[in-house]
Amino acid sequence: MSSYGQPSLGFTANQLQTMVITTRVASSLSLLGVLVIITTFCLSPRFRNPMHRLIFINAFYNIFDSAATFASRAGPEAGDDSAFCQGQAFLNQMFPLADVLWSLVMAIDVYLIVFRHYDARSLKKLEWKYIVAVTTVTFIPAVAFLFLRSSNGDRIYGDAVIWCAIPPRDPSIRLSSYYLPIWLSIFITLGLYSRIGVEIIKRRRALMSITNESVQLDDTVLPMPPTPPGVPSSRQKPKTESDIEQPSTSVSCLHARTPPLSVPPTPSSAQISSPPPPLRPHSSLSFRQYIMMPLLFALTLFSVWAPSTVNRIIPLIDPSFPSTYGSYQLLVVAGTTCSLRGFFNGLVFVLVGRGSRKQRHEKRQRRVITV
């Protein structure tokens, strides 16, 4: 049994049972969300842009996360020294932090799109580096805590009421190795989106194109190569969001890294009488899928982590608080929201993608009507 003993937790049997029910229901929804992400990504090419790919990769991390939260109090009831409790705590230490880091990775991708003009192929080449970095950063401390001991000689992992994790008896370890990197990643993520938002708003064309679901990223319009004599002149069709999502094409928000080649003009009567060369369309960024989706993904982190963080801080600020484990109400909310990570990810993945698909369909209908 847990070294704390069930009565010393300060919660009744009914309260503990309520925590188990809420966390398991929420974890089931998360597993459903993960299933939706994986199924939709595999079956629908419309859900395969770089942002969708990152959420798809994160879904496999969410599986382990949801498995740990679904176990709920089975870990503490097995005892702090049990392999089950230690394994559950390992998963609870590694994968929730990985979920936050994947949100930061999405913000980095959007930053690279806007400021470094990365295309889909360039972003895809970074994915294995992201996987290695996120896995390494979260795996090393999670494994180390399995073997380390606290200053009192106790295991780092133990009974944290809702499940096994770093318990309140080691607040400094819990805050420095868990909540501090989580909130640091969240603030960096929001800082990147703020920087991106300011840059987009600076560009007047981008501000006007947001309503059309496409944000212009170029400041200048470059002429296309002149049409050779005898070849019918046609304007290049601007790439749409559907073009972005095709696996064989690059993201349309990125102009080429090399300047367009100019064809030396050949004097001819046909060329003299030809109309001015068409202008190359601006490169554009899908506002909904490349900004709104990861931004919503980041904002959901607040609803996930605010209750548990407040619950950890209250006993430190108020030593007279009746329980070192925090408030029962906050524990229920924290257990529920932390167990819904996969569900929130699936919701953002599907709703934003469906909204973009609907707008593309409406645009095609308007083009047909005008023609």
Side-chain angles (χ1 to χ4, degrees):
M1 296 295 292
S2 171
S3 60
Y4 291 96
Q6 300 298 334
S8 65
L9 293 176
F11 303 104
T12 66
N14 288 336
Q15 289 176 329
L16 294 175
Q17 184 63 22
T18 300
M19 296 180 194
V20 171
I21 294 173
T22 55
T23 54
R24 287 182 175 172
V25 170
S27 299
S28 299
L29 292 175
S30 281
L31 289 171
L32 178 61
V34 169
L35 179 62
V36 168
I37 292 173
I38 295 175
T39 303
T40 305
F41 182 89
C42 292
L43 298 181
S44 176
R46 299 291 185 182
F47 290 82
R48 293 180 188 172
N49 71 29
M51 298 300 107
H52 281 123
R53 289 181 61 85
L54 293 181
I55 297 182
F56 172 74
I57 295 172
N58 185 35
F60 293 95
Y61 290 72
N62 290 147
I63 292 175
F64 295 97
D65 183 14
S66 299
T69 56
F70 185 85
S72 189
R73 284 197 49 77
E77 289 172 357
D80 286 3
D81 295 327
S82 68
F84 191 94
C85 179
Q86 293 297 304
Q88 183 188 38
F90 165 79
L91 297 178
N92 279 326
Q93 176 67 28
M94 176 177 176
F95 291 100
L97 179 56
D99 184 72
V100 178
L101 291 179
W102 278 113
S103 179
L104 175 60
V105 165
M106 283 194 285
I108 293 173
D109 261 14
V110 178
Y111 182 89
L112 293 176
I113 290 172
V114 175
F115 294 97
R116 297 292 182 264
H117 308 298
Y118 274 53
D119 59 17
R121 292 186 180 89
S122 299
L123 295 176
K124 190 174 181 179
K125 291 178 181 178
L126 295 176
E127 288 175 1
W128 72 269
K129 298 179 181 179
Y130 291 148
I131 293 173
V132 171
V134 170
T135 303
T136 301
V137 168
T138 56
F139 179 78
I140 291 178
V143 169
F145 291 155
L146 289 171
F147 304 99
L148 296 178
R149 298 275 179 167
S150 66
S151 56
N152 297 327
D154 298 324
R155 285 183 175 271
I156 300 295
Y157 294 140
D159 186 352
V161 184
I162 309 176
W163 40 57
C164 282
I166 301 177
R169 65 183 177 217
D170 297 311
S172 59
I173 297 177
R174 181 67 168 172
L175 292 176
S176 61
S177 65
Y178 198 70
Y179 290 104
L180 180 61
I182 283 173
W183 283 104
L184 181 61
S185 299
I186 292 175
F187 286 127
I188 293 176
T189 299
L190 295 178
L192 287 175
Y193 284 125
S194 299
R195 177 70 181 89
I196 293 166
V198 170
E199 181 66 20
I200 290 177
I201 292 176
K202 281 181 179 179
R203 310 179 186 195
R204 296 180 60 184
R205 293 190 183 93
L207 186 61
M208 295 177 63
S209 64
I210 287 176
T211 57
N212 293 325
E213 194 64 17
S214 177
V215 178
Q216 306 298 335
L217 296 182
D218 289 336
D219 289 323
T220 59
V221 180
L222 299 179
M224 293 183 64
T227 305
V231 178
S233 176
S234 61
R235 288 184 177 271
Q236 181 179 352
K237 175 185 172 184
K239 288 185 180 179
T240 62
E241 190 175 326
S242 60
D243 298 325
I244 295 175
E245 295 169 0
Q246 296 301 324
S248 61
T249 60
S250 59
V251 181
S252 68
C253 62
L254 313 164
H255 42 61
R257 296 178 180 277
T258 58
L261 297 177
S262 58
V263 180
T266 302
S268 65
S269 57
Q271 190 172 15
I272 295 174
S273 60
S274 62
L279 298 180
R280 190 180 73 173
H282 286 291
S283 42
S284 60
L285 174 68
S286 166
F287 181 77
R288 177 179 289 269
Q289 291 197 344
Y290 286 85
I291 297 179
M292 187 59 67
M293 178 194 293
L295 181 57
L296 288 177
F297 190 81
L299 291 178
T300 57
L301 297 176
F302 272 96
S303 62
V304 169
W305 292 107
S308 59
T309 304
V310 171
N311 197 53
R312 287 289 185 176
I313 293 176
I314 286 179
L316 298 178
I317 298 177
D318 185 8
S320 63
F321 200 76
S323 173
T324 57
Y325 292 90
S327 163
Y328 163 70
Q329 291 78 8
L330 279 176
L331 273 173
V332 172
V333 175
T336 303
T337 56
C338 287
S339 301
L340 285 172
R341 281 183 286 264
F343 174 76
F344 287 142
N345 295 348
L347 196 63
V348 173
F349 182 90
V350 173
L351 290 183
V352 176
R354 282 176 60 88
S356 297
R357 188 173 182 178
K358 180 179 179 182
Q359 289 200 7
R360 286 195 305 269
H361 179 68
E362 292 175 352
K363 286 180 182 178
R364 283 193 292 266
Q365 286 183 329
R366 286 196 297 267
R367 284 198 295 266
V368 171
I369 294 174
T370 54
V371 171

